[in-house]
Amino acid sequence: MPTALILGATSDIAQAIARELAAKQYDLILAARNMNYIERIQKDIQIRYGVQVKPKYFDATTYEQHDDFLKQTEVFPEVVVVCFGYLGEQKKAEANWDEAYQILATNYIGAVSILNLVAQEMEKRKQGIIIGISSVAGDRGRKSNYIYGSAKAGFTTYLSGLRNRLYTSGVHVLTVKPGYVTTRMTENMNLPKLLTTTPEKVAKSISKAIRKKKNTIYVKKIWWLVMIIIRCLPESIFKKLNL
């Protein structure tokens, strides 16, 4: 059976992806900081789908341990999914560097740290799939979340460059932009239904994108149109908007 490594495995989106891949008969390595929670997810998936599920401790911001983390993985995965992230608070981050750093470190630096190592190994093996959960927030900076958005913009650009680099090695890189998703991270937000999806739909979109070797997907296609409009607005107009 192929193996998938899911980094940030306790998020709602990650759990949906884990179930989707388990249903496709992938063995799983579920990695995150909350080991008790991972072990509960592990037992549920093993019972439901009859696949092997291994829990592993992983912290996106302890960069010096990322090399050992991969070396201690018994089976190198065919698929690696980066699901970890930290939305943070924009207003707090504007005044508090620790908050700003946490947003940048988790969403960008941590992702680059681990994926640099993953990419090197997949390049040697000349096979593999890397999936990065980015965000529409990175398509253009808005005052309501530009620190988070800037980290996701960097991640999207990183994935694009990685895709370009690894193409000749037979390694595929998929960038996923879910838009608004009903998760624990967004439970206190008033999300517009037309632009909002579920973790399960994100997972199914990823599964379909893997089969079709898609490069970048907006989970709800309406986001593609919305972001084209937003990106095309002249800066003289855009800077006056309350977004």
Side-chain angles (χ1 to χ4, degrees):
M1 285 187 188
T3 300
L5 166 62
I6 301 179
L7 300 163
T10 55
S11 77
D12 293 339
I13 291 175
Q15 290 180 59
I17 294 170
R19 290 191 293 269
E20 180 71 19
L21 292 176
K24 303 292 184 187
Q25 292 302 291
Y26 277 82
D27 287 334
L28 301 175
I29 303 168
L30 302 181
R33 290 177 300 179
N34 189 334
M35 292 299 292
N36 289 333
Y37 194 7
I38 291 182
E39 286 168 4
R40 292 203 301 271
I41 299 168
Q42 172 197 18
K43 291 174 184 175
D44 178 69
I45 290 177
Q46 285 184 161
I47 292 169
R48 287 176 185 267
Y49 302 102
V51 297
Q52 293 294 317
V53 183
K54 296 180 180 179
K56 281 185 71 70
Y57 180 84
F58 176 78
D59 186 335
T61 60
T62 54
Y63 321 117
E64 69 281 0
Q65 295 179 14
H66 289 179
D67 191 32
D68 285 341
F69 168 83
L70 281 180
K71 286 177 180 175
Q72 292 165 12
T73 301
E74 294 176 14
V75 177
F76 191 83
E78 285 82 3
V79 177
V80 174
V81 190
V82 170
C83 289
F84 56 80
Y86 177 61
L87 183 60
E89 298 178 36
Q90 173 64 34
K91 287 296 183 183
K92 183 178 179 182
E94 290 170 12
N96 184 313
W97 170 243
D98 288 341
E99 177 73 357
Y101 177 77
Q102 187 66 25
I103 294 170
L104 299 172
T106 305
N107 294 297
Y108 182 68
I109 303 173
V112 172
S113 172
I114 189 65
L115 286 184
N116 271 357
L117 299 169
V118 169
Q120 285 180 338
E121 186 61 31
M122 286 187 173
E123 196 169 30
K124 290 177 187 175
R125 294 169 181 254
K126 297 190 180 302
Q127 64 175 359
I129 300 171
I130 293 170
I131 302 167
I133 308 298
S134 192
S135 173
V136 298
D139 285 14
R140 191 166 187 177
R142 296 174 293 125
K143 69 178 182 180
S144 60
N145 68 350
Y146 65 84
I147 293 180
Y148 172 81
S150 67
K152 286 298 188 181
F155 187 39
T156 294
T157 301
Y158 173 81
L159 291 170
S160 176
L162 203 59
R163 181 161 46 246
N164 187 205
R165 166 192 162 191
L166 297 176
Y167 174 75
T168 55
S169 300
V171 178
H172 186 63
V173 179
L174 170 64
T175 304
V176 181
K177 299 182 181 183
Y180 297 131
V181 185
T182 52
T183 66
R184 286 167 292 162
M185 192 166 73
T186 61
E187 63 184 357
N188 295 321
M189 298 180 182
N190 185 20
L191 303 177
K193 290 184 179 180
L194 183 64
L195 299 175
T196 304
T197 189
T198 65
E200 290 72 26
K201 288 180 180 176
V202 174
K204 288 189 181 300
S205 295
I206 289 172
S207 180
K208 184 177 179 181
I210 291 173
R211 291 198 310 273
K212 294 192 172 185
K213 288 289 184 78
K214 295 282 188 179
N215 298 312
T216 299
I217 60 168
Y218 290 87
V219 174
K220 292 204 79 168
K221 291 182 174 60
I222 191 172
W223 274 109
W224 177 81
L225 177 60
V226 169
M227 297 317 296
I228 279 183
I229 294 169
I230 288 178
R231 286 197 303 268
C232 288
L233 285 173
E235 194 70 15
S236 59
I237 295 173
F238 185 78
K239 69 182 182 181
K240 299 172 184 176
L241 299 179
N242 187 25
L243 296 173

